[in-house]
Amino acid sequence: MRMHGEIEGAQAEIRRRNLSRMLRELHVSRPLSRSELAARLHVDRSTVASLVSELVGRGIVLERPRSRLVPQSPGRPSPVVELRQSGPGALALDIATDWLGAAVVGLGGKIIASARRDLSLSNASPEKVVADLAGIVRPLLAGIENAPRLVGIGVSVPGLVRAEDGRVHAAPALGWRDVAIGELIKEEFADLGASVCIGNDADLAASAEYLRGAGRGTGNFICIWGEVGLGAGIVVDGRLLSGAAGYAGEIGHMTIEPGGDLCHCGARGCLESVVGEEALLRRSGRDPLGGTAAIEDLVSAADRGDEVALSALVESGRGLGIGIAGLVNIFNPDRVALGGLYGRVYRYVRAPILLELEARAMPAPRAMVDLVTGRLGGNALLLGAAELALGPTLDDPAIAPLLQEQAPAGAVHHP
Amino acid sequence: MRMHGEIEGAQAEIRRRNLSRMLRELHVSRPLSRSELAARLHVDRSTVASLVSELVGRGIVLERPRSRLVPQSPGRPSPVVELRQSGPGALALDIATDWLGAAVVGLGGKIIASARRDLSLSNASPEKVVADLAGIVRPLLAGIENAPRLVGIGVSVPGLVRAEDGRVHAAPALGWRDVAIGELIKEEFADLGASVCIGNDADLAASAEYLRGAGRGTGNFICIWGEVGLGAGIVVDGRLLSGAAGYAGEIGHMTIEPGGDLCHCGARGCLESVVGEEALLRRSGRDPLGGTAAIEDLVSAADRGDEVALSALVESGRGLGIGIAGLVNIFNPDRVALGGLYGRVYRYVRAPILLELEARAMPAPRAMVDLVTGRLGGNALLLGAAELALGPTLDDPAIAPLLQEQAPAGAVHHP
DNA sequence: CTAGATTTGCAGGAGCAGGCACCAAACGCC
DNA sequence: GGCGTTTGGTGCCTGCTCCTGCAAATCTAG
């Protein structure tokens, strides 16, 4: 007997793809007129009409007459299609070493509400973390008007996340090993009826920066991300590099100095052990475990022109530059962005990184690569987590249920 | 006015994709019955019939009754669809430092004829190389019966190849800078009427090994390739990593020892300068520029148990292991294969590489990665080059012209 | 050797998505 | 206010794949 329903017709596949492309276009761009959509998707106007009406019917977008304020071109005006705030949205959670964050994010990457609580989570049990998250999320959800329908919960974790099932294989910064954090969160927020997706922090930051931050307009993009650990999210031809099991991007453990200092991972001379937060703090004479506060102190010392602070930063920048040069040779990216800790000290590490790039990256890739700082700041992780949770809806908008209600006031009616 | 012909209907796109999927299945697998094709492509029997008849009509495949020799299952027998030798094929050219190679390769990766000439090409002018190639190719082509229609010429070059136009940005081993080798070859072989594609040697080796060698069955695969230089072809989720301009995979210039020896690229401690052919020969007390002959001498010395040779190999293996460990952390591949020079000395470098992997790669990716030797040997480059040239036909089999002639004897007729 | 079971090829029809042509509507511009 | 332009809506057409019913070709059991 043949399985069917598995593929279910290539026509349906076209339809799904076109719906997805349209929704993604609105998601990463802005409200667009039907004509603009037709031009961008390379489909006929009648097809656009059909696709838009389906998305309207599922409560994902709405149409409104084009504003009179913007200058018009001749011809019949095209109604503008825009994302509906009460449409699909995500709950984004950010578990870091020194804080917990949460946000409700709508399609289009709009942060509708967010909250953050600073606290140290090194060696906090997963159960405690989930309980603390609930304490943040519940009031957050209660305070939202015209809330989106939550279709998913995306979670950022600073550690190795197995792609297959979202288990956290290891998160040294939290002291976790093999934790099914997704299951715990799913239980805690069972009433929301949303699926849970877990992602590595650097990957999520890269995904967000790629879509709506420093990586826009590129196809090959690397986002270096470090807080306590050091990793990278790597976008190759528009897709996030995940590797065979989801563990890709662990650039913190490239060897930079074979005989260097001992790293937590047991090896010597890992990039993380040379330029990570601990190494940076140690070099500047501060408590290596001082965390965010110590880093802020270091930065303000550097701002005052403190020699020790500056040279510690330069030293770290050179190490990082060696690592980045290797990545440039390996990936030939359009752009490399520094986020997290390295985004905050960007202005001090940029010059030494460029120096090492000049010395160590091959001329051709070096000439084309662009070194920048992340543009989303602390929101990168939350936006990336939301992206993860919204993925299924973006890939197949037809999973959103049809609405019974009529389109809300303000929509265009066709008599 | 709207451009059209650009997209020309999504139906046509489905058709193209299905034809391509069918041809690729035959290309990487073996002759398959219609039923097997239906199962593998997840399409209906009637669709398979339609697709097969189109491929037959274009002279790409033929159908023959299933042999009586193989054990049959009950039910009506399904004719076997197989690639036709006189169908599309490629001319593959391999420009290396110490030899020139050429082959005519049919669909399915079948080497129909090949030739090779050993000679030193360091600092040979592109014009001379092309003339020498012609001297190899012409007799080769003359001696083939039932030759394929050559749809493309694929060329392997040991250097940086710009993806956009195939120009060789730099090939240090040949002393080339910014050479439009493709144009020269296109002129020389203009009578063949085939398009010319240029590729980096490591990329092509990886592509061939991935398709029909050591990388089969994986999705994330790295093929380390070195003769004089050192590079890697990297397959991510089934696609070759090319980078923004095509320069990806230059792992030879990852920094392994920041204060190490000077590399030709001007930096210190590049992987290539630590473990490349020259370093290996120098370490063993041989002429660093001795080339293939010196390497053969080194290997036979090692085979005899020569201490110096063995320790030079082990030392290189450790350096290579450091580099591979970094790649494993970055890519989390299923498998890493050693080809070219490192394939030939595999048995001596395997142990030290594994040692460094154990020490330096993160536990989770390390546990899943597989270190193997290339399985295609010297044919990897030619097969990869052919793959490059056959790409357009595989992607859109409908570019092959319809045949006027009737299907040849042996085909199944439907009265 | 024959009958049943099984698998397959083939022909015809259905369903469905997108493209196209035509007409009407809504704007800017003169 | 008329004209040119752009757009939405409608109805028809094309092309692709899937489904169904039937005939053909084989294996197996008796």
Side-chain angles (χ1 to χ4, degrees):
Chain A
M1 197 190 297
R2 168 94 40 85
M3 284 290 295
H4 65 92
E6 188 182 25
I7 290 288
E8 210 219 38
Q11 320 272 35
E13 177 64 17
I14 295 186
R15 181 68 169 188
R16 190 195 57 69
R17 240 193 39 175
N18 278 341
L19 280 173
S20 171
R21 287 203 301 149
M22 174 173 283
L23 187 52
R24 276 222 143 83
E25 197 67 44
L26 293 165
H27 179 59
V28 302
S29 182
R30 56 181 168 81
L32 296 168
S33 74
R34 287 199 186 187
S35 336
E36 287 171 310
L37 284 169
R40 295 189 183 205
L41 303 183
H42 300 284
V43 296
D44 193 82
R45 292 184 315 218
S46 60
T47 305
V48 170
S50 159
L51 295 170
V52 168
S53 90
E54 174 157 1
L55 292 182
V56 168
R58 296 188 185 278
I60 300 175
V61 306
L62 47 82
E63 288 185 287
R64 57 175 174 70
R66 185 172 49 173
S67 156
R68 304 257 170 169
L69 301 177
V70 293
Q72 311 242 134
S73 49
R76 176 172 173 174
S78 202
V80 170
V81 181
E82 69 176 16
L83 298 165
R84 196 173 154 185
Q85 171 155 337
S86 61
L91 174 61
L93 304 176
D94 172 14
I95 303 173
T97 316
D98 293 325
W99 69 82
L100 288 176
V104 172
V105 182
L107 280 173
K110 184 178 176 195
I111 296 183
I112 293 166
S114 68
R116 171 173 158 148
R117 186 171 147 207
D118 289 316
L119 74 175
S120 171
L121 290 184
S122 43
N123 299 315
S125 79
E127 288 77 12
K128 167 134 187 341
V129 166
V130 171
D132 284 347
L133 277 172
I136 300 173
V137 167
R138 292 299 175 184
L140 185 71
L141 290 178
I144 304 176
E145 288 177 46
N146 193 19
R149 273 181 300 112
L150 296 182
V151 296
I153 303 176
V155 188
S156 163
V157 174
L160 295 175
V161 177
R162 189 159 64 185
E164 185 190 338
D165 55 6
R167 281 182 89 92
V168 176
H169 179 272
L174 304 173
W176 291 2
R177 293 192 58 81
D178 196 31
V179 173
I181 187 71
E183 305 293 325
L184 297 176
I185 289 174
K186 189 161 184 58
E187 264 175 56
E188 177 65 45
F189 297 106
D191 56 308
L192 300 180
S195 59
V196 179
C197 315
I198 316 294
N200 167 270
D201 56 350
D203 285 348
L204 298 183
S207 146
E209 289 284 357
Y210 174 69
L211 225 58
R212 34 181 55 99
R216 284 204 70 156
T218 70
N220 292 79
F221 172 67
I222 298 177
C223 182
I224 313 276
W225 185 267
E227 294 293 348
V228 175
L230 171 58
I234 299 164
V235 175
V236 172
D237 290 334
R239 274 177 301 270
L240 197 62
L241 177 70
S242 85
Y247 303 144
E250 287 297 322
I251 64 162
H253 303 281
M254 296 167 65
T255 300
I256 294 298
E257 295 174 355
D261 291 341
L262 204 60
C263 177
H264 289 125
C265 76
R268 287 195 173 275
C270 293
L271 184 60
E272 182 173 309
S273 73
V274 176
V275 309
E277 182 180 289
E278 288 187 27
L280 176 59
L281 289 174
R282 185 176 297 115
R283 238 181 234 124
S284 77
R286 286 173 179 75
D287 175 10
L289 300 176
T292 314
I295 291 289
E296 274 171 24
D297 182 62
L298 170 64
V299 172
S300 55
D303 289 345
R304 288 189 311 267
D306 179 292
E307 290 287 340
V308 176
L310 285 171
S311 82
L313 285 163
V314 165
E315 194 66 20
S316 286
R318 297 182 91 166
L320 194 54
I322 294 177
I324 292 177
L327 294 176
V328 167
N329 287 326
I330 293 171
F331 286 100
N332 179 212
D334 293 298
R335 197 173 294 160
V336 175
L338 302 187
L341 166 60
Y342 302 98
R344 291 195 289 280
V345 299
Y346 178 74
R347 59 189 181 283
Y348 298 111
V349 295
R350 178 178 163 84
I353 290 174
L354 288 178
L355 212 65
E356 292 296 332
L357 268 179
E358 187 62 32
R360 319 194 97 100
M362 303 279 284
R366 176 216 307 157
M368 66 189 305
V369 76
D370 209 9
L371 182 69
V372 301
T373 175
R375 289 213 316 236
L376 303 176
N379 287 334
L381 294 180
L382 289 170
L383 286 173
E387 212 56 48
L388 194 63
L390 290 170
T393 298
L394 288 164
D395 286 337
D396 185 6
I399 60 176
L402 284 164
L403 293 187
Q404 304 305 333
E405 49 165 326
Q406 196 41 264
V412 176
H413 286 260
H414 310 294
Chain B
M1 195 190 298
R2 166 97 40 87
M3 285 290 294
H4 64 92
E6 189 182 24
I7 290 288
E8 208 217 43
Q11 321 273 36
E13 176 65 16
I14 294 186
R15 181 67 169 188
R16 191 196 57 69
R17 239 193 39 174
N18 277 342
L19 280 173
S20 170
R21 288 202 300 148
M22 174 172 283
L23 188 52
R24 275 220 144 83
E25 197 68 42
L26 293 165
H27 180 58
V28 302
S29 183
R30 55 179 169 81
L32 296 169
S33 75
R34 287 198 185 187
S35 334
E36 286 171 311
L37 284 169
R40 295 191 182 202
L41 303 182
H42 299 286
V43 296
D44 192 84
R45 290 180 313 197
S46 55
T47 306
V48 169
S50 160
L51 295 169
V52 168
S53 88
E54 175 157 0
L55 292 182
V56 168
R58 295 187 186 278
I60 301 174
V61 306
L62 49 81
E63 287 185 287
R64 58 174 173 70
R66 184 171 49 172
S67 155
R68 303 255 169 169
L69 301 177
V70 294
Q72 310 242 131
S73 48
R76 177 172 170 173
S78 204
V80 170
V81 181
E82 69 176 17
L83 297 165
R84 194 172 154 184
Q85 170 155 337
S86 61
L91 175 62
L93 304 177
D94 172 14
I95 302 174
T97 317
D98 293 325
W99 69 81
L100 288 176
V104 172
V105 182
L107 280 174
K110 184 179 176 193
I111 297 183
I112 294 166
S114 69
R116 172 171 158 150
R117 185 171 147 205
D118 288 317
L119 74 176
S120 171
L121 292 182
S122 42
N123 299 314
S125 79
E127 289 76 12
K128 165 133 190 342
V129 166
V130 171
D132 284 346
L133 277 173
I136 300 173
V137 167
R138 293 298 174 186
L140 187 70
L141 290 177
I144 303 177
E145 286 178 46
N146 193 18
R149 275 180 299 112
L150 296 182
V151 297
I153 302 176
V155 188
S156 163
V157 175
L160 294 175
V161 177
R162 189 158 66 184
E164 186 190 337
D165 54 7
R167 279 182 90 91
V168 176
H169 180 272
L174 305 173
W176 292 1
R177 292 192 60 81
D178 197 30
V179 172
I181 186 72
E183 307 292 325
L184 297 177
I185 289 174
K186 191 164 182 55
E187 263 174 57
E188 177 65 45
F189 297 105
D191 55 308
L192 300 180
S195 59
V196 179
C197 315
I198 316 293
N200 167 271
D201 56 349
D203 286 349
L204 299 184
S207 142
E209 290 283 356
Y210 174 70
L211 225 58
R212 36 181 54 98
R216 285 204 71 156
T218 70
N220 293 78
F221 173 66
I222 297 177
C223 182
I224 313 278
W225 186 266
E227 294 292 349
V228 175
L230 171 59
I234 299 164
V235 175
V236 172
D237 291 334
R239 275 176 301 271
L240 198 62
L241 178 70
S242 83
Y247 303 144
E250 288 297 321
I251 65 163
H253 302 280
M254 298 166 64
T255 300
I256 294 298
E257 293 175 358
D261 291 340
L262 204 60
C263 178
H264 290 127
C265 77
R268 287 195 174 275
C270 295
L271 184 59
E272 182 173 308
S273 73
V274 176
V275 309
E277 181 180 290
E278 289 188 25
L280 177 60
L281 289 174
R282 186 177 296 115
R283 237 181 235 123
S284 76
R286 288 172 176 75
D287 174 11
L289 300 175
T292 314
I295 290 289
E296 274 171 26
D297 183 62
L298 170 65
V299 171
S300 54
D303 289 345
R304 287 190 310 268
D306 180 292
E307 289 286 339
V308 177
L310 286 171
S311 83
L313 286 164
V314 166
E315 193 67 19
S316 286
R318 297 180 93 166
L320 193 54
I322 293 177
I324 292 176
L327 294 176
V328 167
N329 287 326
I330 292 170
F331 286 100
N332 179 211
D334 293 298
R335 196 174 295 160
V336 175
L338 302 187
L341 167 60
Y342 302 99
R344 290 195 289 280
V345 300
Y346 179 73
R347 59 188 181 284
Y348 298 111
V349 295
R350 177 178 164 84
I353 292 174
L354 288 178
L355 212 66
E356 291 297 330
L357 269 179
E358 187 63 31
R360 318 195 98 102
M362 304 278 284
R366 175 216 307 158
M368 66 188 306
V369 75
D370 210 7
L371 182 70
V372 301
T373 175
R375 290 213 315 235
L376 303 177
N379 288 334
L381 294 180
L382 289 171
L383 287 173
E387 213 55 50
L388 194 63
L390 290 171
T393 298
L394 288 165
D395 286 338
D396 184 5
I399 59 179
L402 284 165
L403 294 187
Q404 304 304 334
E405 47 164 328
Q406 195 42 261
V412 176
H413 286 261
H414 311 294

